[in-house]
Short mmCIF file of all heavy atoms in Angstrom, two decimals:
data_model
loop_
_atom_site.label_atom_id
_atom_site.label_comp_id
_atom_site.label_asym_id
_atom_site.label_seq_id
_atom_site.Cartn_x
_atom_site.Cartn_y
_atom_site.Cartn_z
N LYS A 1806 -15.07 3.74 -4.07
CA LYS A 1806 -14.57 4.49 -2.94
C LYS A 1806 -13.35 5.32 -3.33
O LYS A 1806 -13.24 6.49 -2.92
CB LYS A 1806 -14.23 3.55 -1.80
CG LYS A 1806 -15.43 2.94 -1.15
CD LYS A 1806 -14.99 2.00 0.04
CE LYS A 1806 -16.15 1.39 0.71
NZ LYS A 1806 -15.77 0.50 1.83
N LEU A 1807 -12.50 4.73 -4.13
CA LEU A 1807 -11.30 5.48 -4.58
C LEU A 1807 -11.71 6.64 -5.48
O LEU A 1807 -11.12 7.73 -5.34
CB LEU A 1807 -10.38 4.53 -5.36
CG LEU A 1807 -9.08 5.10 -5.91
CD1 LEU A 1807 -8.13 5.57 -4.80
CD2 LEU A 1807 -8.33 4.15 -6.79
N TRP A 1808 -12.66 6.39 -6.33
CA TRP A 1808 -13.11 7.47 -7.20
C TRP A 1808 -13.79 8.58 -6.44
O TRP A 1808 -13.59 9.77 -6.72
CB TRP A 1808 -14.09 6.88 -8.27
CG TRP A 1808 -14.60 7.88 -9.21
CD1 TRP A 1808 -15.83 8.47 -9.21
CD2 TRP A 1808 -13.93 8.46 -10.36
NE1 TRP A 1808 -15.97 9.37 -10.26
CE2 TRP A 1808 -14.80 9.37 -10.96
CE3 TRP A 1808 -12.67 8.30 -10.85
CZ2 TRP A 1808 -14.45 10.16 -12.06
CZ3 TRP A 1808 -12.29 9.07 -11.99
CH2 TRP A 1808 -13.20 9.97 -12.58
N LEU A 1809 -14.58 8.23 -5.49
CA LEU A 1809 -15.32 9.27 -4.68
C LEU A 1809 -14.38 10.05 -3.78
O LEU A 1809 -14.51 11.26 -3.62
CB LEU A 1809 -16.39 8.60 -3.80
CG LEU A 1809 -17.61 8.06 -4.53
CD1 LEU A 1809 -18.49 7.29 -3.56
CD2 LEU A 1809 -18.42 9.21 -5.18
N SER A 1810 -13.40 9.41 -3.15
CA SER A 1810 -12.52 10.04 -2.21
C SER A 1810 -11.37 10.78 -2.80
O SER A 1810 -10.90 11.82 -2.29
CB SER A 1810 -12.03 9.03 -1.18
OG SER A 1810 -11.24 8.03 -1.85
N GLU A 1811 -10.84 10.24 -3.95
CA GLU A 1811 -9.62 10.87 -4.51
C GLU A 1811 -9.67 11.17 -5.98
O GLU A 1811 -8.70 11.65 -6.55
CB GLU A 1811 -8.43 9.91 -4.26
CG GLU A 1811 -8.20 9.60 -2.78
CD GLU A 1811 -7.01 8.64 -2.57
OE1 GLU A 1811 -5.99 8.76 -3.35
OE2 GLU A 1811 -7.04 7.82 -1.69
N ASP A 1812 -10.80 10.93 -6.62
CA ASP A 1812 -10.95 11.16 -8.03
C ASP A 1812 -9.95 10.38 -8.85
O ASP A 1812 -9.45 10.90 -9.85
CB ASP A 1812 -10.86 12.65 -8.33
CG ASP A 1812 -12.08 13.41 -7.84
OD1 ASP A 1812 -13.15 12.83 -7.76
OD2 ASP A 1812 -11.94 14.60 -7.49
N LYS A 1813 -9.59 9.18 -8.40
CA LYS A 1813 -8.61 8.37 -9.12
C LYS A 1813 -9.22 7.06 -9.61
O LYS A 1813 -10.11 6.53 -8.97
CB LYS A 1813 -7.41 8.03 -8.15
CG LYS A 1813 -6.57 9.28 -7.82
CD LYS A 1813 -5.47 8.88 -6.91
CE LYS A 1813 -4.59 10.08 -6.55
NZ LYS A 1813 -3.48 9.73 -5.59
N ALA A 1814 -8.70 6.62 -10.75
CA ALA A 1814 -9.26 5.40 -11.34
C ALA A 1814 -8.50 4.18 -10.89
O ALA A 1814 -7.25 4.20 -10.79
CB ALA A 1814 -9.16 5.48 -12.90
N MET A 1815 -9.21 3.14 -10.53
CA MET A 1815 -8.51 1.88 -10.14
C MET A 1815 -7.90 1.23 -11.34
O MET A 1815 -6.82 0.61 -11.18
CB MET A 1815 -9.63 0.90 -9.55
CG MET A 1815 -9.06 -0.41 -9.02
SD MET A 1815 -8.17 -0.20 -7.47
CE MET A 1815 -9.55 0.10 -6.37
N PHE A 1816 -8.55 1.36 -12.48
CA PHE A 1816 -8.02 0.78 -13.76
C PHE A 1816 -7.99 1.82 -14.86
O PHE A 1816 -8.96 2.62 -14.94
CB PHE A 1816 -8.89 -0.42 -14.19
CG PHE A 1816 -8.99 -1.52 -13.16
CD1 PHE A 1816 -10.16 -1.57 -12.38
CD2 PHE A 1816 -7.96 -2.37 -12.94
CE1 PHE A 1816 -10.30 -2.56 -11.38
CE2 PHE A 1816 -8.12 -3.38 -11.90
CZ PHE A 1816 -9.24 -3.47 -11.22
N ALA A 1817 -6.91 1.81 -15.63
CA ALA A 1817 -6.80 2.83 -16.66
C ALA A 1817 -7.91 2.70 -17.73
O ALA A 1817 -8.34 3.69 -18.30
CB ALA A 1817 -5.43 2.65 -17.31
N GLY A 1818 -8.41 1.48 -17.90
CA GLY A 1818 -9.46 1.32 -18.91
C GLY A 1818 -10.86 1.11 -18.37
O GLY A 1818 -11.72 0.54 -19.06
N GLN A 1819 -11.11 1.61 -17.18
CA GLN A 1819 -12.39 1.39 -16.52
C GLN A 1819 -13.52 2.29 -17.14
O GLN A 1819 -14.69 1.94 -17.07
CB GLN A 1819 -12.32 1.66 -15.02
CG GLN A 1819 -12.11 3.06 -14.63
CD GLN A 1819 -11.96 3.30 -13.14
OE1 GLN A 1819 -11.35 2.41 -12.49
NE2 GLN A 1819 -12.55 4.32 -12.61
N GLY A 1820 -13.17 3.39 -17.74
CA GLY A 1820 -14.15 4.24 -18.39
C GLY A 1820 -14.99 4.96 -17.40
O GLY A 1820 -14.67 5.15 -16.25
N ASP A 1821 -16.21 5.34 -17.82
CA ASP A 1821 -17.14 6.07 -17.00
C ASP A 1821 -17.81 5.14 -16.03
O ASP A 1821 -18.44 4.12 -16.45
CB ASP A 1821 -18.17 6.77 -17.86
CG ASP A 1821 -19.11 7.64 -17.08
OD1 ASP A 1821 -18.85 7.80 -15.87
OD2 ASP A 1821 -20.11 8.16 -17.62
N ILE A 1822 -17.70 5.33 -14.73
CA ILE A 1822 -18.30 4.45 -13.75
C ILE A 1822 -19.47 5.12 -12.98
O ILE A 1822 -19.82 4.73 -11.88
CB ILE A 1822 -17.26 3.90 -12.76
CG1 ILE A 1822 -16.65 5.11 -11.98
CG2 ILE A 1822 -16.19 3.13 -13.45
CD1 ILE A 1822 -15.78 4.64 -10.78
N THR A 1823 -20.02 6.18 -13.59
CA THR A 1823 -21.13 6.90 -12.93
C THR A 1823 -22.26 6.00 -12.53
O THR A 1823 -22.78 6.14 -11.40
CB THR A 1823 -21.67 8.00 -13.88
OG1 THR A 1823 -20.55 8.89 -14.28
CG2 THR A 1823 -22.69 8.81 -13.18
N HIS A 1824 -22.64 5.08 -13.41
CA HIS A 1824 -23.76 4.18 -13.11
C HIS A 1824 -23.44 3.27 -11.89
O HIS A 1824 -24.31 2.99 -11.08
CB HIS A 1824 -24.15 3.36 -14.31
CG HIS A 1824 -23.07 2.49 -14.83
ND1 HIS A 1824 -21.95 2.98 -15.41
CD2 HIS A 1824 -22.97 1.13 -14.85
CE1 HIS A 1824 -21.17 1.98 -15.80
NE2 HIS A 1824 -21.74 0.87 -15.41
N PHE A 1825 -22.19 2.83 -11.80
CA PHE A 1825 -21.77 2.05 -10.62
C PHE A 1825 -21.85 2.89 -9.37
O PHE A 1825 -22.34 2.40 -8.30
CB PHE A 1825 -20.34 1.53 -10.82
CG PHE A 1825 -20.15 0.42 -11.82
CD1 PHE A 1825 -19.37 0.59 -12.91
CD2 PHE A 1825 -20.86 -0.76 -11.66
CE1 PHE A 1825 -19.20 -0.41 -13.85
CE2 PHE A 1825 -20.69 -1.82 -12.57
CZ PHE A 1825 -19.87 -1.63 -13.71
N VAL A 1826 -21.37 4.15 -9.43
CA VAL A 1826 -21.42 5.00 -8.24
C VAL A 1826 -22.86 5.30 -7.81
O VAL A 1826 -23.15 5.20 -6.61
CB VAL A 1826 -20.71 6.34 -8.59
CG1 VAL A 1826 -20.82 7.28 -7.39
CG2 VAL A 1826 -19.23 6.08 -8.89
N GLU A 1827 -23.69 5.59 -8.70
CA GLU A 1827 -25.12 5.89 -8.37
C GLU A 1827 -25.77 4.66 -7.75
O GLU A 1827 -26.55 4.78 -6.73
CB GLU A 1827 -25.87 6.35 -9.62
CG GLU A 1827 -25.39 7.73 -10.12
CD GLU A 1827 -26.02 8.11 -11.43
OE1 GLU A 1827 -26.77 7.28 -11.99
OE2 GLU A 1827 -25.94 9.26 -11.84
N GLU A 1828 -25.53 3.57 -8.33
CA GLU A 1828 -26.16 2.30 -7.85
C GLU A 1828 -25.64 2.00 -6.42
O GLU A 1828 -26.38 1.62 -5.50
CB GLU A 1828 -25.86 1.15 -8.76
CG GLU A 1828 -26.43 -0.19 -8.33
CD GLU A 1828 -26.07 -1.29 -9.27
OE1 GLU A 1828 -25.50 -1.01 -10.38
OE2 GLU A 1828 -26.29 -2.48 -8.91
N TRP A 1829 -24.33 2.13 -6.23
CA TRP A 1829 -23.76 1.84 -4.90
C TRP A 1829 -24.21 2.84 -3.88
O TRP A 1829 -24.43 2.44 -2.72
CB TRP A 1829 -22.20 1.87 -5.04
CG TRP A 1829 -21.50 1.55 -3.78
CD1 TRP A 1829 -21.25 0.32 -3.26
CD2 TRP A 1829 -20.98 2.52 -2.84
NE1 TRP A 1829 -20.52 0.45 -2.07
CE2 TRP A 1829 -20.39 1.81 -1.74
CE3 TRP A 1829 -20.94 3.90 -2.76
CZ2 TRP A 1829 -19.75 2.37 -0.69
CZ3 TRP A 1829 -20.31 4.53 -1.74
CH2 TRP A 1829 -19.73 3.77 -0.65
#
Side-chain angles (χ1 to χ4, degrees):
K1806 290 181 179 179
L1807 179 66
W1808 180 258
L1809 288 174
S1810 61
E1811 302 181 35
D1812 290 331
K1813 292 181 180 179
M1815 182 76 71
F1816 304 101
Q1819 69 185 37
D1821 184 9
I1822 62 170
T1823 303
H1824 60 293
F1825 286 120
V1826 174
E1827 293 176 349
E1828 180 183 351
W1829 181 83

